[in-house]
Amino acid sequence: MYKRQLELLVFNVMGGTGKTFDTVKLYSYYSDKVKVEIIDPNAKPHLVDKYGMKQGNIIYLAYGDKDGVKAESRINEMTEEAITNAIVKLTRGAAKKMYYAIGHGEPDLEAQDQRGLNLFVGAVGDEHMIIEPINLAQKGSVPDDAAALVLVSPKTPYFPEEKTAITDYADKGGKLLIMRDPGYPAVSTDLKEIAAHYGINLGDDLVLDTVMQLFAGPSIAVQFMASSIEQHPITDTLSKRDLPIMNLASSVQIGERKEGATYTELFKSSPKGWAENDIQAIFTEKEPVVSVDASDTKGPVSLAVAYEKEVVSPSSKKDSSSEPSYEEGSDKIFTRVVVVGDSDWMTNGLFQQAVHRDLALNTLNWLVGESSSIAIRPKKFKSNFARLPKETYYIVLGSGFFVPEMVLLFGLLVWWRRKTA
């Protein structure tokens, strides 16, 4: 009988070997079921296409029988942790399947334009997970094999049966990722109602925050970098200096807490930011003038909330003071919901910036119970939205502009004195 074998191909983009490659080769040294090969993509470019390697992918893994269908995974780093996690996922069996609700003007999963989610889908596939579209109006319910359901900014209202199907699924231990963008005229309120079912308030507002850029000074912006993150399995591996960029975001805050549930506000705006309720003026006026007033929510404003509650029968209901465990591998069943007041960060236009890829995959891994697979992935393009303290800003401005000018003037003075001496 042919043994199931793990194929581990390293695409050596740097053209070197060293300690990292020695670590990879140890997998085959300790197990005859692991085949390791180092591939130079410049010498064998056809293998890049054969194994579906995309930009950023470094290692290809496949596990299966000689003649059977192989489970595949692609990872973007060569750490022992990342490789081992990928192997564990592959050897567990079939990939977990998530569903993406469609039929109401949501961003297209396959679109490759700025608003599409093609890069997100590719990243999910690299993690040995599957995401498929589903029209709940046609299906009537969420399939039993759903590891999670993703809801992203519907432009038209759900049918009542769809909302019932979503909450019924989650209440029984389902997992929801909800993302909703603000808009004027008002966008569908269905996601707001679903979030409220779990004690999460999705605001009908627009979060504004200050950004500081060199030679431009501080200004109010609708696109800004989150200012702080809270401890949670989703965010634990994210750098506190490398935060997600929000673009036209709504506030997401803890509302009426549900008994026995655990809530975490994942990341927030700066204390100088606020949630502006008069979004009509912002979206309709050519040069809107905004300021904080009594009706607005003052910063720091929460931009995302994670919810978790153990599903229990009435006869075994736990004390509401006890908090659910994040521990994997237990027999406990949890309802998990993550609500984010923006979806732009997951679209092709922003997905490869900052920590957006990490945040998306960490969120999905936590939802489907794969928190042990969360790892620090390669750093992407870093935007320049980080704030500078006013004192630091003026020091940088002075040393970058006035100091060179003074040196130039001093040089001209010396030259002039020598010329006229």
Side-chain angles (χ1 to χ4, degrees):
M1 180 182 295
Y2 181 82
K3 295 181 179 179
R4 295 174 68 83
Q5 188 176 50
L6 177 74
E7 189 176 15
L8 197 161
L9 307 181
V10 181
F11 284 76
N12 181 11
V13 294
M14 301 303 293
T17 55
K19 187 178 295 185
T20 304
F21 293 112
D22 292 338
T23 300
V24 173
K25 292 176 181 178
L26 287 175
Y27 286 91
S28 61
Y29 176 80
Y30 285 107
S31 174
D32 59 357
K33 295 182 181 180
V34 181
K35 174 190 173 183
V36 174
E37 183 179 353
I38 309 297
I39 296 174
D40 183 353
N42 296 318
K44 300 179 180 180
H46 62 286
L47 295 181
V48 176
D49 294 330
K50 178 180 177 180
Y51 293 107
M53 301 297 283
K54 300 180 288 294
Q55 182 180 3
N57 294 159
I58 299 175
I59 295 179
Y60 168 87
L61 301 102
Y63 179 72
D65 296 327
K66 182 178 181 180
D67 301 319
V69 177
K70 294 182 178 180
E72 298 178 313
S73 181
R74 298 163 188 84
I75 59 178
N76 290 27
E77 56 181 321
M78 293 180 61
T79 64
E80 183 177 358
E81 179 187 24
I83 298 171
T84 302
N85 282 332
I87 292 174
V88 169
K89 277 189 175 183
L90 288 179
T91 55
R92 279 179 179 170
K96 291 189 176 181
K97 182 182 291 186
M98 290 165 287
Y99 288 93
Y100 177 83
I102 62 171
H104 299 276
E106 296 86 353
D108 190 345
L109 283 178
E110 301 301 325
Q112 300 182 21
D113 57 17
Q114 295 289 298
R115 289 292 304 160
L117 297 175
N118 174 262
L119 294 178
F120 165 67
V121 173
V124 170
D126 290 346
E127 292 278 307
H128 189 51
M129 295 187 287
I130 300 171
I131 185 164
E132 292 183 357
I134 183 173
N135 190 319
L136 291 172
Q138 296 176 353
K139 292 290 184 179
S141 62
V142 180
D144 293 337
D145 63 348
L149 178 64
V150 181
L151 311 173
V152 181
S153 291
K155 301 299 185 294
T156 58
Y158 287 144
F159 293 106
E161 295 78 10
E162 291 179 283
K163 290 191 289 185
T164 300
I166 292 168
T167 53
D168 284 351
Y169 158 73
D171 289 345
K172 296 175 182 177
K175 316 297 188 285
L176 295 180
L177 172 57
I178 298 174
M179 291 181 287
R180 175 178 177 264
D181 300 302
Y184 181 82
V187 295
S188 169
T189 61
D190 291 326
L191 293 188
K192 180 179 179 180
E193 294 173 8
I194 294 171
H197 181 77
Y198 300 100
I200 301 172
N201 291 341
L202 235 174
D204 288 324
D205 49 32
L206 180 65
V207 179
L208 304 173
D209 208 346
T210 56
V211 296
M212 182 76 76
Q213 295 181 340
L214 288 178
F215 307 112
S219 61
I220 302 298
V222 297
Q223 185 180 82
F224 56 90
M225 182 174 285
S227 183
S228 63
I229 55 177
E230 299 299 319
Q231 185 176 4
H232 188 274
I234 291 174
T235 58
D236 280 348
T237 60
L238 302 181
S239 168
K240 289 180 170 53
R241 296 177 299 176
D242 192 11
L243 302 168
I245 298 169
M246 297 288 102
N247 180 61
L248 294 173
S250 298
S251 65
V252 183
Q253 301 181 85
I254 301 170
E256 184 179 348
R257 292 176 179 265
K258 302 300 180 179
E259 182 181 2
T262 301
Y263 295 84
T264 304
E265 295 181 338
L266 297 175
F267 45 88
K268 304 177 181 180
S269 73
S270 76
K272 294 183 178 180
W274 75 93
E276 176 62 50
N277 285 315
D278 187 12
I279 61 175
Q280 177 181 356
I282 297 175
F283 282 102
T284 59
E285 296 181 11
K286 291 184 178 180
E287 296 183 1
V289 177
V290 293
S291 60
V292 185
D293 56 43
S295 66
D296 297 329
T297 302
K298 298 177 176 59
V301 180
S302 174
L303 302 163
V305 170
Y307 163 101
E308 182 181 52
K309 182 179 180 181
E310 185 179 354
V311 178
V312 294
S313 63
S315 60
S316 61
K317 191 173 182 180
K318 295 176 59 179
D319 185 350
S320 62
S321 63
S322 60
E323 293 189 357
S325 170
Y326 292 118
E327 190 175 35
E328 305 295 339
S330 69
D331 295 330
K332 297 178 180 179
I333 299 175
F334 295 100
T335 292
R336 286 177 172 174
V337 180
V338 174
V339 182
V340 186
D342 177 34
S343 70
D344 293 315
W345 63 277
M346 195 179 277
T347 60
N348 294 336
L350 290 174
F351 190 67
Q352 297 189 86
Q353 296 186 24
V355 293
H356 297 172
R357 186 179 189 274
D358 298 1
L359 179 60
L361 297 180
N362 285 2
T363 299
L364 293 178
N365 274 317
W366 177 72
L367 284 171
V368 304
E370 295 282 0
S371 292
S372 60
S373 297
I374 294 177
I376 302 173
R377 298 174 176 85
K379 300 306 175 188
K380 305 296 181 183
F381 167 79
K382 305 297 187 299
S383 185
N384 64 338
F385 290 97
R387 298 173 189 83
L388 290 174
K390 183 183 295 184
E391 296 78 7
T392 305
Y393 171 73
Y394 287 123
I395 291 173
V396 172
L397 179 64
S399 60
F401 182 76
F402 295 109
V403 172
E405 293 290 334
M406 294 298 294
V407 172
L408 178 61
L409 291 173
F410 181 75
L412 289 173
L413 178 61
V414 172
W415 172 80
W416 177 258
R417 293 188 62 180
R418 290 181 176 178
K419 182 179 179 181
T420 56

